Amino acid sequence: TIQVQSRRGLKEFTFDQVFTPDTRGDQEHVFEDVKMLVQSAVDGYNVCLFAYGQTGSGKTFTMIGDSGGTLPGIAPRAYHEIFDLLEGNRKKFSYKVSVYMVELYNDQL
């Protein structure tokens, strides 16, 4: 929780997790923090992961990774995890997988 003084008074913001710039190079650490959401999706729950921040703050890097694929972001790691989990349970269940990913930038979807 952080507190910020504004013209309208004191504002308080509470976060479950904050990734700092020194975390940026450690995509695996970031994914480990949200990996439980992949299991929830496989268990049948709807899951949404939202990245918000100013231009250049690292949202695309966090979600997708680097262009060379050496530092995969949350999305490619999640896809691998989903299909690893499904493969492990293929004798017990049948699955249908669908993914929806959007980018909103400057009010353009």
Side-chain angles (χ1 to χ4, degrees), residues 27-103:
Q27 293 287 69
E28 189 172 347
H29 172 77
V30 174
F31 179 69
E32 285 299 317
D33 198 63
V34 299
K35 186 177 179 179
M36 64 185 173
L37 296 174
V38 174
Q39 181 65 57
S40 294
V42 171
D43 290 343
Y45 293 93
N46 292 324
V47 173
C48 176
L49 187 61
F50 184 75
Y52 178 81
Q54 69 186 42
T55 299
S57 63
K59 299 174 299 295
T60 301
F61 178 76
T62 300
M63 296 302 291
I64 306 300
D66 66 330
S67 60
T70 57
L71 294 170
I74 291 172
R77 289 175 189 269
Y79 302 148
H80 285 285
E81 182 69 15
I82 287 168
F83 289 104
D84 286 347
L85 288 169
L86 298 183
E87 181 64 26
N89 289 306
R90 71 181 177 153
K91 292 182 179 177
K92 298 180 200 174
F93 304 103
S94 63
Y95 293 95
K96 177 183 176 186
V97 177
S98 61
V99 176
Y100 186 63
M101 187 178 233
V102 296
E103 179 179 11

